[in-house]
Amino acid sequence: VPRSDAINDVGEDVYEETRLASLYDHLNPWTHQDDFYVAQARRYGSPVLDVGAGTGQLAVGVAEATGLAVTGVEPGAGMHEVARTRRGAGGVTWIHAPGQTFQTNTRFRLAYMTGHAFQAVHTSEAATALLTNVARHLAPDGRFIFETRNPEDRAWLRWSGDRTVVDGAEHGALQESYEVAQQPDGLIALTHHIRLLDHNEELLGHSRLRFPTRETVEVECAAAGLELVEWYGDWDGSPLHEESVEMIAVTRTTR
Ligand SMILES: C[S@@+](CC[C@H](N)C(=O)[O-])C[C@H]1O[C@@H](n2cnc3c(N)ncnc32)[C@H](O)[C@@H]1O
């Protein structure tokens, strides 16, 4: 697994390899989290930017549900390949680049980063660079909305052990489980074991997640020229409190 912690710290196999990426939607189907972002798109309007769009499930979903202009930015080769070849992909503009360095002349009314993709950015320096570049691409009074798991909740302690079996369509029955390790630098390292039960095959993937505190995110946003408009603690829009599982940041540019 590439282990670069430079500003553009991407390159993990779960996002780079097309075979692993092709399993992603089966293991991570549409949820109320996606509905939340469709509602935000309806609220703020066109054009919409999906940062770390992954397989494009939500970007295409937003375009189809709302008719708004949607751009998807994704650095992982495998994820990008799945996204730009999926049904409905023609309705989205795709950019194969990291959030820190993508460029377009479009200025967005809404940008969002979901599926906890913000946690896939491994250093404060890289996160600040990403926030800065996204802020630069917002229209006046545009919003950037993203979520990160509350470190107080220590969700990773619940992630070991087997998961339920899911229907992986052409892949057959799938079961994913994780080995979880806390690294000295504070990142949570996951080894994904993905069993293709009908093929008697197991694939391994690797990813790391950062769990910044609310205060850290606020410092990074301020450095990037983004102000916090609101913190939600849940997809129903209820406010953030200490026991919240999610920390959902609604930000806007200070320029
Ligand atoms: C867990 S997936 C979520 C994908 C998608 N947003 C979703 O909700 O299904 C995390 C995504 O973040 C992407 N990512 C990692 N580093 C990134 C960066 N620096 N800029 C933008 N996206 C990044 C990964 O390539 C991956 O597609």
Side-chain angles (χ1 to χ4, degrees), residues 98-203:
Q100 292 90 330
T101 56
F102 77 89
Q103 283 184 40
T104 164
N105 290 329
T106 309
R107 293 294 174 266
F108 297 92
R109 303 277 295 279
L110 171 68
Y112 63 80
M113 186 170 196
T114 189
H116 303 97
F118 187 71
Q119 295 188 252
V121 180
H122 298 138
T123 65
S124 194
E125 187 189 24
T128 305
L130 181 143
L131 292 165
T132 303
N133 191 36
V134 172
R136 204 180 283 145
H137 285 85
L138 290 180
D141 206 35
R143 296 286 189 277
F144 180 45
I145 307 181
F146 60 97
E147 80 278 339
T148 184
R149 296 177 186 88
N150 186 355
E152 296 290 326
D153 179 52
R154 307 207 289 170
W156 61 88
L157 297 178
R158 300 190 293 267
W159 289 346
S160 299
D162 276 350
R163 294 301 168 93
T164 47
V165 176
V166 301
D167 174 9
E170 71 275 18
H171 305 284
L174 299 175
Q175 188 181 39
E176 185 173 35
S177 60
Y178 305 106
E179 280 168 62
V180 184
Q182 191 156 13
Q183 295 190 164
D185 58 9
L187 295 179
I188 301 297
L190 299 178
T191 305
H192 304 235
H193 293 256
I194 304 172
R195 275 174 227 112
L196 292 90
L197 298 171
D198 297 341
H199 303 276
N200 201 19
E201 191 182 352
E202 179 171 294
L203 303 179

